[in-house]
Structures are given as structure tokens and as C-alpha cells.
Amino acid sequence: MELRGLNDRQMEAVKATEGVVRIIAGAGSGKTRVLTYKVAYLLEQGIPAGHILALTFTNKAAREMRNRINQLVGEELARYLWMGTFHSIFARILRQEAELLGYTHDYSIYDTTDSKSVIKHIIKDFNLDEKIYKPSVVHARISMAKNKLQSPNLYAADREYLMRDRFDKMNDMSRVYAEYNRRLKAANAMDFDDILVNTQTLLQKFPEVAEKYQERFQYILVDEYQDTNRAQYMIIKRLAEAHQHICVVGDDAQSIYSFRGADISNILNFQKDYPDAQLCKLEQNYRSTQTIVQAANSLIRHNKGQIRKDVYSELKIGERIALSTYMSDRDEAKGVASQIRLLSKRSENFSYDDIAVMYRTNAQSRVIEDELRQAGIPYRIYGGTSFYQRKEIKDALAYMRLITNRDDNEAFLRVVNYPTRGIGDTTVGRLHEAARKNKVSLMTVAIAPETMTEDLSAAAQTKVKEFAQMIEQFAVDMGKKDAYTFAQDVLTATGILREAKADTTQEGIARYENLQEMLTSIHEFCQQREQEGIDFTPIADFLAEVSLLTDQDENLDDTQARVTLLTIHAAKGLEFRHTLIVGLEENLFPSAFSQTQREIEEERRLLYVAITRSMEHCHLMNARQRFRNGQTTFTTPSRFIKEIDKQFVLNTDTMPRPMSSANSHPFREGLGVSSPTSSRLTPTTGAKEKSKKKAIRSEWAKDDCVMHRVFGKGTVLEVYRENDNEKIDILFDAVGKKTLLLTYAKLEKIE
């Protein structure tokens, strides 16, 4: 095998086979290539494949590496290589040694759904409040403890856990944890985390087993070492004790998974565990232009906890990173669509597949999806689900569907026991049977179950009737409230918002953000209708609009080139010619949940990852205000923007600045703003707040002739800011004077 195509640093890393080696691989530096060649090189040096252990984090990475190794040295030579994910390799070991830990060889592995089911039964058996002890939250806490190798006893003695559990009124967490472990053991089952915990226990408690696998795995290679947790770290350390041939590959600057238990100190403190370890740095970036690389370097230098490296590129200098500021999140989304159209015109061999739009939270996709759809730009959600197809959104919409159409059986089934109200599958089955026999809808049965069936207990009848009465009351209120106010009431009264907010896991936070974003979409819909001369917008109109959107989602052509929409966490390991990164604002990016220096540094690494996905063109975007949680909130640009060296940034004014005023929150020269405040938007129904008009600069000017799709031809009278909204007064030939919000006006200039 010839080591062709490797630079000097890569060659050095590949040939460093003896002793302990730490390879710090900068973004786009060919890390996977080096790891692959290193395994192949060991095989060619005569190391038997069965003595080599290569650990990855994904099956995809393992498959790709194995295929490449087979091409380099031949399948025969590489056949007995131990290569796979941590969980697959350690599960294989446990199959052979399980009896030592009190399991049989055919033990079961519980997935997340199985684990949550066990927890749910424990909560019920312990008579705990499921609204407090949410299975997803309990599971997340148990998982985090196991990743840190903390048993139920250690958990109960941990002051930090105790304080957190007391604050959340979950004082029985350690007892639930202990019972969970007991039930899994009784079922001859392990969860995903147990595979790591039990492997560590096996190696620690049984020295003869440890010696057996130390002798087998004489050469250990670990990919993405910055993402390892405490359990993985301890296992690797134990396995490498005898021969001390261990090579870890990673990039501390791309450590972004602490919420999964990843511990950056594993890679930062590696030298303390292995003082004689050789350090190899892969610093040449083969992906991005010089400007993108240098911009990313200037950002990450602000982190104190890091391994210093000077990543460089020998590709073309390239254009500066663009920075665009928009008036609102809606305008930002329009800007995304506009930039994509520009890229399509100026890029050679253009394909939508070359473009990625990245965001900090999943909820941000909604408004971007809306604008791309309107612009006719095809897109896909990578590693996720289109906004209106997400479970929590479909649940919320199902409530509103049922309220508007009480004969909607599918909607009924989706929400009758969500949030949990004690209406189980048996009760639902009997309602189904009664509806079939009587040839009526499920809702009809639920309104008067005592007249429709004799199979329901008095308690079940009461619960069903309470649900039906709630829906009927909503139906009465529906005609009195606009879509936005009505949706707020439904999500609040049903407990959907409360349940999502109570779930403090990453998934729970995302669900809550998505529900709030759905309310924002309804608010925008009402505003748009108001600008079209419709004074009252019922929820049914919004549901009709959404049904068309979801139909489009379900009829996608998978072969068509599409813009990729994804969170930055999902983007790690990927690359695109062009990237657009949205939402660069304080409390969004960095997240409002990141307060400590350690947390802020991880957020900074997250932006570093986002920027270094870019091959040719990177565009940062933010908005001056966002509508979130029922309020228009004025934003402050992300601190990270100022940390990127200005020589690598092209600051483009996409929106004219408002006239300076103490109350207008204008952007100062540069990137700062006046102190942010929150102001509740005027509802679509209700009195307008009186406020002084303030002149603004705009593409529209007095006496401009314009065309509106509803009101027709008109003449601009005035453009101004009032109540924190930019407005335009137009005298229309057909309907007289109208005041429109500039964001939604959709005007065309007539020459």
C-alpha cells in the first residue's frame, strides 16, 4: 500500500503506531482519511486484524472506513478487524461475558421506547405524579447518570442532583433509578447506557477478563474522541493499560454534544493521563477557502479551554463572510430565499443540493420553510421532520381540527388521551365499537356514552364526557375569538403547553419552542389577512391553509435537488458549497440556556462547526426583532459576530436603519443595539395603542404608484414606524385609504 495523497503531517500521524498518540484534526483536515490509512498501515506492518480495535460513533462511519480499508489492503487481510460503534463492540463482548454479571448470553437490549415504558410503570406503581415525573425527563436523568458511571447510590449522594431534583419536586428520583435498574436486571435486559456501564464494571471487577481483552486489543484507535463520555473514557483507558498502543483522533473545537454526556475534558486532559503521548496536529483544511478558515480561527481563539492550533487552507482566498441584518425573523426568512436565488444566478454548475440553511433550534425552520415554499425553492429537512409534520404540531392541530369538525375521528383518536387524562386503549376501543354499531362519530358517543354503550364503567364515562364537554365549550368559543387568541386558549387550557414546558430535556425544550412557533405562524396568518381587508380570521381558515402545506410535504420528489435545512448539531461532519446561518442573536445563539463560561464556549464551538461546513460561501444572518412567546422581542446581535475578525466579514445593510430615537431601538453604527426590551404586539382584535409616528427610510416613497393583489392600484401617502411596527399608508383608487404593515404588504411598484 502506498501512502499517496497524504501531506507530511498526515503521513506522520499514520506512521505513529507505537505508544500513545493524540491526533488533533482541524475541520476539513482529512481526519477520516488518516484514521483509515492508519488502520491499513498497521495491517500491512503485520499486526493481525484481530488485535486491532477501531471505535466510531456511527455505523455509517464504521462501514465507510471498513470499505476503504478493504480497498487499500484487501478484504482477506482486514476480515477479522474489530471495527464498529462503541455500543456494537461492547455488546459483542458482553454477549460472551454476560454470565459474570448475572445475565444470560441472550439478554435483551431495550431501546428508548422500551426504557420509557418501564419508567412509566414504575411511576404508576410508586403512585408518583406523572406530570412531575415525566418518563422522558426521568429517562434523561438516569441516562446522564449512567454516562458518568453514577449508580443509584452515588446519584442519591450527589449534592447537585439532590438540589436539582428537590427544585423540580422529584425527590424520589434515586428510588425510581434504583427500581429501574432492578427491573431491567430481572428482565435479563440492558438499556443502551448499560452496555457501557456493564462493560466498565466487567473490566473493573474481573481482572482476568480485563487481561483477556487487553491482550486481544493490542492497538486501539478511537474516532471523534472529543465526543466520548466518562464511561467510554474509562473503558478505553482500561483496555489500553497493558500495551499502551492507543491512538485517539478528534477536534476539541468541534465538541458540541455535552447535552448527550460528552466530556470535552477527555481530550483536553489526555496529556495528563498519558504524559509521554505524541501529539500530531492536522492543520491543513482541504474543504474551505482561506477566508472562511481564518474567520473560523478568529472566532474560536476566544475559547480558553482548547488545544491551540493554526488551521490553514491553501485553496483560493475566496470572498468574505457576509453578514446581513433584517428587520424581523420573517424578513430574515425572505432574505434566505433571496440569497438562494442570487446564488442560483451567479454560481457555476449550480444545484440546490449545494446549499444548506442552518439554525440553532428546530423551531426556526418554520418561517424559513414558509418562505422557501412561497418562492418555489425545493428543500428537505435533514435529520428531522418538516415543521407541520412534527408530532407536537400535529397533536395541537388535531385539537383544533376536532373543535371545528367534531366528526373528525382521526383527530379524536389523536388527542382523546393527550395530555394523559386516564382514557386508556380499552376505553377507546369500546368507544370505537359503539360508534361503529350506532353509525356515528366517536365524538357523538363521547358526548353521551351512557346512551350509546353499556361497556364503559362509570369512571370511564365521566372522563370521556369531561373531554367531550371541553371540546364542545371550545366550539362555542371558536366563533368569538380570532385564530391566534383561540389557539392560545386551546394550547393553554388543554395543558399541551404546560406539559411541553415541564419537560426539561432537549427534546422537551424543542417541543415547547415548536408549539410557540406554531402560535407565531397563526399570529402572522391573522396579520396577513388583516392587511388583505379581512377583519376576523377564524381558526378554520388557518387549518385549511396548513392542510395544503402538509399535502405538499407528503408529495415530495426524492430525486429532485433541494436546499438542505438543518440544525447545526445535525450538520457536524457534513459540508456544502454555500451555507446560510440564521438567528445570530443573543439568547438564541448563544442559547438563553447557556450561562456559564463552559456553556458559552460550547456555543462558540457550535458556530465554529457551522462556519467550517462552508466550502466557498458563508452568510451569517440575524434579525432586529422576533415574535416569540406571544411578544415582539427586540434582539441584540450575537456576541460571536464581534469576535470574528472584521477583515473577514462583509457587513451588508439589508434593511435601512430607523431614525435615531430613544424608543425606536435603532442599530448603532457597527453591530450593537440599544438595550433590548420586550413589547407585546397589538392583537388582531382589540384597541390599538396610541403612539407617535416616526419617519423611516424605505424603498417606498410618498407619491409612489403601487399595486396590491387585493386592494388594487394606489398611491403611497406616508411610510413610518408606529408601535414598533413599520407601516405604510396608501390611498387606493377602489377602497380608499389603508394602513398596511410593510412586512406583509406585498406591493408592486408601478412605473
Side-chain angles (χ1 to χ4, degrees), residues 304-354:
K304 293 181 179 179
Q306 64 169 302
I307 299 165
R308 295 287 178 180
K309 53 187 172 294
D310 186 18
V311 181
Y312 67 95
S313 170
E314 293 185 351
L315 302 177
K316 63 182 181 181
I317 295 174
E319 60 193 65
R320 287 184 289 172
I321 289 178
L323 170 64
S324 298
T325 297
Y326 298 86
M327 181 58 65
S328 68
D329 47 349
R330 172 63 65 178
D331 292 329
E332 180 188 58
K334 291 179 184 294
V336 167
S338 176
Q339 290 300 318
I340 291 171
R341 283 193 293 265
L342 286 172
L343 286 169
S344 70
K345 293 176 181 177
R346 72 183 183 97
S347 298
E348 294 181 11
N349 303 316
F350 173 81
S351 171
Y352 285 124
D353 286 335
D354 295 332

Side-chain angles (χ1 to χ4, degrees), residues 570-631:
K572 189 170 175 290
L574 305 177
E575 61 184 30
F576 303 90
R577 284 182 67 190
H578 315 286
T579 64
L580 294 87
I581 307 166
V582 301
L584 269 293
E585 301 137 29
E586 291 292 307
N587 296 324
L588 183 56
F589 200 177
S591 165
F593 297 99
S594 299
Q595 298 295 326
T596 66
Q597 179 181 319
R598 188 182 180 98
E599 291 166 341
I600 291 295
E601 291 201 351
E602 178 153 332
E603 290 287 300
R604 189 176 287 112
R605 292 195 295 270
L606 193 57
L607 181 56
Y608 175 85
V609 167
I611 292 172
T612 55
R613 300 310 94 197
S614 314
M615 299 168 70
E616 298 177 14
H617 171 262
C618 180
H619 202 133
L620 308 179
M621 298 180 172
N622 59 15
R624 296 177 186 174
Q625 61 186 43
R626 286 185 186 272
F627 188 76
R628 302 180 74 186
N629 302 334
Q631 294 182 325

